[in-house]
Amino acid sequence: MKRIYLDYNATTPQADEVTEAMLPYFRERYGNASSPHLFGREARGGLERARERVAALIGADTREIIFTSGATESNNALIKGIARKKRDAGRHIITTAVEHHSVLAPCKALEREGFEVTYLGVDSYGVIDLDQLRDALRDDTVLVTVMSANNETGTLQPIEEIATLVRERNSVFHTDAVQQAGKLPLDVKELHVDALSLSAHKFYGPKGVGALYVRRGVVIPPLLEGGHHERNLRAGTENIAGIVGMGRAAELARERMENDRVLVTSLRERLHREITQRISDVVVNGHPERRLPNTLNVSFRYVEGESVILSLDMKGIAVASGSACTSGSLEASHVLLAMGVPPEQAYSSVRFSLGRYTTAEEIDCLVKELPSIIERLRSISTFSR
Amino acid sequence: MKRIYLDYNATTPQADEVTEAMLPYFRERYGNASSPHLFGREARGGLERARERVAALIGADTREIIFTSGATESNNALIKGIARKKRDAGRHIITTAVEHHSVLAPCKALEREGFEVTYLGVDSYGVIDLDQLRDALRDDTVLVTVMSANNETGTLQPIEEIATLVRERNSVFHTDAVQQAGKLPLDVKELHVDALSLSAHKFYGPKGVGALYVRRGVVIPPLLEGGHHERNLRAGTENIAGIVGMGRAAELARERMENDRVLVTSLRERLHREITQRISDVVVNGHPERRLPNTLNVSFRYVEGESVILSLDMKGIAVASGSACTSGSLEASHVLLAMGVPPEQAYSSVRFSLGRYTTAEEIDCLVKELPSIIERLRSISTFSR
């Protein structure tokens, strides 16, 4: 059976170039980067070259990059770190209702520790209102964290405008840029963000590696404490092979970003066009233009998204409903609900996310299978219509 | 130039068998283990097989294994987790003066949060006194954390006896078993430990992956919060390739443990014998018998350990002074000082740590180079003699 992967927002296949870059660090350059001898220096060299490459992807200085075990750690370290550091200066945090759980969960934890968190709502496209943000900012707001692109809908937030508002109030602005990195340009200096989270496995790098950009001048205590790694900001023997892989993936992402963008935009438009031509009662969730080029979130009315996913899975086609991190929870997407999408439409949603290795043939295969699946599911649907 | 690696306690080369096991998870079985589709199920399958293998290495049940980014995260998650969970039951923690920094630093952090920490001293071999532990245990002792084998000297602690004492007082016993795993047998049920930390890269697995065993019935809040991964105990997309590598490394460690032990014991004894025959004024640091089979920590009187390391490095031979995690700090080893070793002897210490791939030829090469290096360094030494 052919296998078609259209769930790139959950994770990406690791690029062969990335695997090639990692291999020497498993058996030859395997030293501990903290060791002063040759083996350690080789590892340290790989680490610092990777840091340059990741910094270059987002326009940061190398000293502003901390390697982590992934975006969940980056988000936890930044949010809890800022809160603990600034506890005496203020206990107010602003975020949005559509963030990833690795942002929402630390915010909830801080509420239990006495912080007040404002969850900004979004419009029907999933975009926050800048006036609401302006009103929400207070003298005791120590952190504003707003994702740059949503994982479920692909909707982009006006990051630069948010950064300007936050800067005027001398607060700290963090963005979870996991979904944007490698898909659209990101420049921390142009955007004026203070902190930014990255995950390697969302741009063809290895799982288990991420980075946290923290602007020079912003200081946070380490979440993982121990040795003097990462300039005392993140303890633990560095995952050199993984970090080298992330560096190579970042380099590839820069080189291929425009090609990748053109490819996935074209294929996504083809998919969108075919779906709306062949299937009735389809609604797109998310912003029609201000959206990641690879993401198409649609609700097939009167069917459950989970059923669509299972039916496609039986044909070897992998797509998603909601985010992978909450799959199986049987809850409707908190992102779609925050956008004012009715629960039935939210339950009907399916996320197609394309990537570098997606082909026109794969899209054609999907659009060939999809109409009969939707028709069959609708014929047995318990949804009222 | 030949390269000889004798710093296995800092990190190990990744076994080729481990790399082989990981490769399919980079480009073929790359799904997100939380995804319900085929790609996700393949990843989940690899994850759970690895969990069985890691559990088998330490005699745990699979449900008692949480995968982490390494032992630093395991130690932080357990120590901070127990403290936060039990804050209202008591605020006393017992550890030792010779722990790794990834245990000491979280303990120091908890002191700043109002916990009281007792640092048990050790005898001249590095072993704690069970009577001191018995006296230190209090009704409000919520956690006792004692490493099973020391990274610098290899000295083993009487873990089973410690566990018995802690159990009598209904406290929780955690052991950082990073250095023992794969070198000597470990069985959490026989030892009656409540929690145990592991690191894959210390037994020929990948860097950036570790595990935390937590006995059923002991509950800790997650350090990394977000999605529902690892039964809500550790959020973040699972590092499947790394975890699969750790699983394979654990399996190899079980299969090869006795062979590896016999090999490194024999080579270490050869190294020890040759050093004491060829070089005067040498002292072994650590317990003569109750010690890891691969570790030899010696002080070459009247020279600095760092100078020995640099001189050997110029010959392509990698050894260590103190632990890699604190190298470059220019502080004398806190482990040796706690053993009552005089500062000059501590500064003179060099750690040789052998492993699966160490050969007799490598040991012979080292003992051929070492006498002239020590002689030269002693001739220019500023140490008084």
Side-chain angles (χ1 to χ4, degrees), chain B residues 268-285:
Chain B
R268 185 195 61 181
E269 294 312 315
R270 181 190 192 113
L271 174 61
H272 184 193
R273 196 172 55 240
E274 295 288 332
I275 284 177
T276 47
Q277 280 176 2
R278 295 176 186 226
I279 303 170
S280 62
D281 293 310
V282 174
V283 192
V284 173
N285 302 306

Side-chain angles (χ1 to χ4, degrees), chain A residues 226-266:
Chain A
H228 302 309
H229 314 83
E230 297 291 289
R231 295 183 294 119
N232 293 319
L233 295 172
R234 200 275 187 185
T237 298
E238 295 90 344
N239 174 3
I240 299 295
I243 288 169
V244 165
M246 182 175 192
R248 184 73 180 103
E251 189 178 55
L252 282 171
R254 284 183 76 199
E255 292 167 5
R256 304 206 33 165
M257 196 177 300
E258 184 56 16
N259 278 2
D260 285 353
R261 191 189 64 75
V262 170
L263 171 77
V264 295
T265 304
S266 150

Side-chain angles (χ1 to χ4, degrees), chain A residues 3 34 41-42 313 327, chain B residues 3 34 41-42 207 313 327:
Chain A
R3 298 165 48 131
S34 300
R41 294 195 303 275
E42 285 175 343
D313 182 43
S327 73
Chain B
R3 298 165 48 132
S34 299
R41 294 194 303 274
E42 284 175 343
K207 295 174 180 64
D313 182 43
S327 72

Side-chain angles (χ1 to χ4, degrees), chain A residues 26-149:
Chain A
F26 289 139
R27 190 56 197 267
E28 296 153 37
R29 300 179 209 151
Y30 54 79
N32 186 317
S34 300
S35 295
H37 48 60
L38 175 63
F39 294 80
R41 294 195 303 275
E42 285 175 343
R44 164 82 37 197
L47 175 64
E48 296 310 330
R49 273 192 303 281
R51 200 186 305 277
E52 288 166 14
R53 291 169 169 183
V54 170
L57 179 65
I58 59 169
D61 295 336
T62 53
R63 287 176 55 89
E64 297 172 320
I65 300 295
I66 304 166
F67 286 110
T68 67
S69 66
T72 290
E73 184 188 326
S74 296
N75 287 339
N76 273 260
L78 187 284
I79 294 168
K80 294 175 182 173
I82 290 287
R84 279 167 199 157
K85 180 85 182 173
K86 304 244 180 168
R87 184 180 289 277
D88 296 331
R91 301 202 178 181
H92 182 234
I93 293 171
I94 299 174
T95 186
T96 82
V98 297
E99 297 298 307
H100 189 265
H101 285 283
S102 59
V103 165
L104 293 175
C107 286
K108 293 283 177 202
L110 290 170
E111 284 184 292
R112 293 191 294 273
E113 290 183 26
F115 280 79
E116 187 187 339
V117 180
T118 299
Y119 298 89
L120 297 174
V122 294
D123 64 17
S124 62
Y125 297 131
V127 182
I128 69 161
D129 183 323
L130 291 170
D131 289 330
Q132 274 184 23
L133 170 61
R134 190 181 288 108
D135 292 345
L137 279 160
R138 311 188 319 211
D139 290 342
D140 64 342
T141 305
V142 292
L143 174 67
V144 177
T145 174
V146 178
M147 70 198 328
S148 71

Side-chain angles (χ1 to χ4, degrees), chain A residues 96-287:
Chain A
T96 82
V98 297
E99 297 298 307
H100 189 265
H101 285 283
S102 59
V103 165
L104 293 175
C107 286
K108 293 283 177 202
L110 290 170
E111 284 184 292
R112 293 191 294 273
E113 290 183 26
F115 280 79
E116 187 187 339
V117 180
T118 299
Y119 298 89
L120 297 174
V122 294
D123 64 17
S124 62
Y125 297 131
V127 182
I128 69 161
D129 183 323
L130 291 170
D131 289 330
Q132 274 184 23
L133 170 61
R134 190 181 288 108
D135 292 345
L137 279 160
R138 311 188 319 211
D139 290 342
D140 64 342
T141 305
V142 292
L143 174 67
V144 177
T145 174
V146 178
M147 70 198 328
S148 71
N150 187 270
N151 48 309
E152 296 187 27
T153 63
T155 293
L156 303 170
Q157 300 293 351
I159 293 302
E160 193 170 354
E161 292 81 349
I162 295 169
T164 302
L165 287 178
V166 176
R167 205 152 43 122
E168 285 170 2
R169 298 297 296 262
N170 291 313
S171 190
V172 171
F173 178 46
H174 166 252
T175 185
D176 174 351
V178 161
Q179 291 293 344
Q180 184 167 346
K183 297 184 186 126
L184 291 173
L186 264 177
D187 188 300
V188 292
K189 306 296 178 200
E190 281 178 18
L191 295 171
H192 290 291
V193 302
D194 298 307
L196 181 146
S197 298
L198 293 175
S199 169
H201 78 93
K202 303 292 192 191
F203 55 88
Y204 313 97
K207 295 175 180 62
V209 198
L212 176 62
Y213 155 79
V214 185
R215 182 174 62 74
R216 201 172 298 190
V218 177
V219 180
I220 57 167
L223 182 68
L224 300 188
E225 299 175 274
H228 302 309
H229 314 83
E230 297 291 289
R231 295 183 294 119
N232 293 319
L233 295 172
R234 200 275 187 185
T237 298
E238 295 90 344
N239 174 3
I240 299 295
I243 288 169
V244 165
M246 182 175 192
R248 184 73 180 103
E251 189 178 55
L252 282 171
R254 284 183 76 199
E255 292 167 5
R256 304 206 33 165
M257 196 177 300
E258 184 56 16
N259 278 2
D260 285 353
R261 191 189 64 75
V262 170
L263 171 77
V264 295
T265 304
S266 150
L267 293 177
R268 184 194 61 180
E269 294 312 314
R270 181 190 192 115
L271 173 61
H272 184 193
R273 195 172 56 239
E274 294 288 334
I275 284 177
T276 48
Q277 279 176 5
R278 295 175 186 227
I279 304 171
S280 62
D281 293 310
V282 173
V283 193
V284 172
N285 301 306
H287 199 284

Side-chain angles (χ1 to χ4, degrees), chain B residues 43-121:
Chain B
R44 163 80 41 195
L47 175 63
E48 296 310 330
R49 272 192 303 281
R51 200 186 305 278
E52 288 166 14
R53 290 168 170 184
V54 171
L57 180 65
I58 58 169
D61 295 337
T62 54
R63 288 175 55 89
E64 297 172 320
I65 300 294
I66 305 166
F67 286 110
T68 67
S69 67
T72 290
E73 184 188 328
S74 296
N75 287 339
N76 273 260
L78 186 285
I79 294 168
K80 295 174 183 174
I82 290 287
R84 278 167 198 156
K85 180 86 182 175
K86 304 245 179 167
R87 183 181 289 278
D88 296 331
R91 301 202 178 181
H92 181 234
I93 293 171
I94 298 174
T95 186
T96 82
V98 297
E99 298 297 308
H100 189 266
H101 285 283
S102 59
V103 165
L104 293 175
C107 287
K108 293 283 176 202
L110 289 170
E111 284 184 292
R112 293 190 295 273
E113 289 183 26
F115 281 80
E116 187 187 338
V117 180
T118 299
Y119 298 90
L120 297 174

